[in-house]
């Protein structure tokens, strides 16, 4: 797996700062030109309008995160002043927007989220950082192409964006080329051109006392290597099953076969943002609309109803997705506590597998 960088607010802030610094350095040699007369590559805007867009996004993302905007964009518009600002002024504004977003990422708590419309109605500090970096990288490419100047951001920044916003895309040997292809700006050998695209932010599923937060690609990579995935765990966590599940997700990502909403979710206790365990899917639904779920809870969190609560929420969410008819689970016949968790979450026994010790199969169907 390509190096994905550190987790946390400081790492997110550094990614934003580095992206802006590289972009401004690349564009500054063309600062003496009139950007309003130059089209920004394949974009239908001129370069000044494109710079304005970058400025607006950086400030807007900082505002959404810093104010924890719950369900809409804040009623604030960010523009260049004056509207016909020259290129040096536009670059100064991009630098200022980068500072503000980096500051918001560095100071926001790990659990802080703000509204963003697509696709899961919100993002945290690493999501907003990655979106900001993506806007800077991609639109600097557009402007540089129009202005006829060289620009190639660092592989680390490209990998940062791909890992956090394009987990369904295999990075390959050249993350920059992959990012350009994934956003309709380039080609990849053996791949069809991309004409429609979108990015992913981390999905959340709310339960009574818990938030189930999909583990990002950098988080599963860290967990699989023995780290904490960027979370504060209760004593004894993360448990071995969590690391094994993270390894499965990391492997799917390396193969370009990951669908992030059908990966692994960390169970977070909302009262203190402590991670209790993980729960997730063994892959996306099959052709029959069947998806399998598994879970793991730290010993210190057991016996308090957390697993049942999370399983109810996750399986209900899955059955609400288009084409999903059945959620299944397997449990060793002798594992009575785990079987009871499943049964309390409306799963019913439907058979068994001929494996050592015996394995029961349970399922929950759509009503």
């Amino acid at each position: 797996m390509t190096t994905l960088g550190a987790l946390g607010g400081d790492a997110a802030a550094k990614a934003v700062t580095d992206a802006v610094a590289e972009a401004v350095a690349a564009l500054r040699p063309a600062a003496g030109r009139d950007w309003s007369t130059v089209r920004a590559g394949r974009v239908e805007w001129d370069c000044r309008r494109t710079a304005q867009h970058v400025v607006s996004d950086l400030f807007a993302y900082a505002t959404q995160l810093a104010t924890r905007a719950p369900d809409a964009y804040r009623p604030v518009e960010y523009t260049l002043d004056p509207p016909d600002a020259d290129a040096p002024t536009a670059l100064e504004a991009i630098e200022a927007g980068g500072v503000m977003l980096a500051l918001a990422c560095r100071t926001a708590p790990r659990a802080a989220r703000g509204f963003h419309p697509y696709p899961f109605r919100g993002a945290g500090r690493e999501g907003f950082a990655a979106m900001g970096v993506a806007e800077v990288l991609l639109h600097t490419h557009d402007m540089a192409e129009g202005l006829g100047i060289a620009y190639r951001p660092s592989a680390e920044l490209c990998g940062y964006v791909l890992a956090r916003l394009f987990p369904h895309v295999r990075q390959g040997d050249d993350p920059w080329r992959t990012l350009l292809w994934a956003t309709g700006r380039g080609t990849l050998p053996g791949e069809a051109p991309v004409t429609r695209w979108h990015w992913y932010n981390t999905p959340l599923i709310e339960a009574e006392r818990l938030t189930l937060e999909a583990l990002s690609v950098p988080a599963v990579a860290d967990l699989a290597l023995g780290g904490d995935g960027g979370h504060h765990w209760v004593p004894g966590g993360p448990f071995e099953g969590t690391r094994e599940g993270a390894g499965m997700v990391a492997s799917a990502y390396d193969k370009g076969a990951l669908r992030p909403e059908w990966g692994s979710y960390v169970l977070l206790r909302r009262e203190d943002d402590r991670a209790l365990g993980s729960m997730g899917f063994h892959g996306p639904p099959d052709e029959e609309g069947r998806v399998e779920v598994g879970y793991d809870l730290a010993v210190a969190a057991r016996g308090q109803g957390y697993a049942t609560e999370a399983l109810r929420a996750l399986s209900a969410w899955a059955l609400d997705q288009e084409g999903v008819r059945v959620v299944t689970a397997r449990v060793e016949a002798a594992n009575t506590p785990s079987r009871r968790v499943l049964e309390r979450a409306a799963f019913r026994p439907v058979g068994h597998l001929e494996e050592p010790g015996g394995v029961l199969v349970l399922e929950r169907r759509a009503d």
Side-chain angles (χ1 to χ4, degrees):
M1 179 179 292
T2 301
T3 301
L4 301 173
L7 296 159
D10 288 343
K14 185 178 186 301
V16 173
T17 301
D18 289 350
V20 169
E22 289 185 7
V24 170
L27 294 171
R28 197 175 296 283
R33 297 173 60 181
D34 182 357
W35 287 9
S36 67
T37 64
V38 181
R39 179 171 171 170
R42 303 181 188 183
V43 179
E44 295 184 356
W45 301 328
D46 61 54
C47 287
R48 185 171 65 196
R49 175 66 183 85
T50 305
Q52 159 66 48
H53 176 77
V54 174
V55 171
S56 177
D57 280 343
L58 290 173
F59 276 99
Y61 293 162
T63 300
Q64 294 300 98
L65 178 60
T67 65
R68 319 289 195 269
D71 52 17
Y73 279 115
R74 296 301 190 189
V76 180
E77 183 178 1
Y78 301 96
T79 63
L80 291 176
D81 185 23
D84 60 349
D86 59 13
T89 301
L91 292 176
E92 182 180 351
I94 290 173
E95 288 179 315
V99 169
M100 295 303 292
L101 180 54
L103 181 61
C105 293
R106 186 171 288 114
T107 57
R110 195 218 63 81
R113 289 180 71 87
F115 171 81
H116 185 274
Y118 196 85
F120 301 117
R121 310 294 291 177
R125 60 193 185 188
E126 293 183 6
F128 277 116
M131 288 189 291
V133 172
E135 295 288 351
V136 171
L137 267 57
L138 295 171
H139 289 306
T140 299
H141 163 78
D142 298 333
M143 290 184 282
E145 188 173 63
L147 293 164
I149 58 179
Y151 171 67
R152 184 180 179 87
S154 67
E156 289 77 13
L157 286 172
C158 301
Y160 183 90
V161 171
L162 287 167
R164 287 160 177 79
L165 298 182
F166 296 86
H168 54 298
V169 172
R170 185 176 179 272
Q171 287 197 22
D173 297 328
D174 188 343
W176 178 228
R177 188 174 184 181
T178 300
L179 181 59
L180 291 176
W181 166 78
T183 57
R185 290 170 167 83
T187 60
L188 277 182
E191 300 287 350
V194 173
T195 57
R196 294 177 61 88
W197 61 274
H198 63 77
W199 58 42
Y200 284 88
N201 269 308
T202 305
L204 296 182
I205 299 171
E206 299 291 352
E208 299 163 36
R209 297 169 292 170
L210 305 174
T211 295
L212 283 68
E213 181 177 313
L215 285 165
S216 67
V217 169
V220 296
D222 186 63
L223 282 165
L225 293 173
D228 59 14
H231 295 282
H232 297 293
W233 291 79
V234 294
F239 215 56
E240 189 58 35
T242 293
R243 299 198 186 281
E244 292 176 0
M248 292 171 58
V249 176
S251 177
Y253 174 70
D254 278 344
K255 297 174 183 177
L258 177 61
R259 290 178 59 185
E261 66 269 46
W262 300 106
S264 187
Y265 291 72
V266 61
L267 311 185
L268 298 165
R269 189 166 55 197
R270 278 199 297 275
E271 67 179 31
D272 58 4
D273 198 38
R274 288 279 179 172
L276 310 180
S278 67
M279 184 173 291
F281 304 99
H282 293 178
D286 63 20
E287 295 179 354
E288 298 178 352
R290 185 179 300 268
V291 64
E292 184 174 350
V293 67
Y295 55 90
D296 180 59
L297 207 63
V299 174
R302 296 176 185 175
Q304 301 172 62
Y306 290 126
T308 299
E309 178 183 324
L311 186 56
R312 284 174 180 159
L314 186 66
S315 57
W317 175 88
L319 291 170
D320 196 42
Q321 305 309 300
E322 183 177 357
V324 178
R325 298 175 50 250
V326 185
V327 181
T328 68
R330 306 181 192 188
V331 62
E332 294 180 359
N335 191 344
T336 301
S338 187
R339 177 176 177 177
R340 288 175 177 167
V341 165
L342 287 160
E343 291 174 342
R344 286 194 294 268
F347 283 70
R348 298 292 177 261
V350 294
H352 66 279
L353 302 176
E354 296 296 336
E355 296 184 9
V359 175
L360 300 177
V361 179
L362 298 90
E363 67 179 32
R364 177 178 174 180
R365 289 181 170 268
D367 295 333

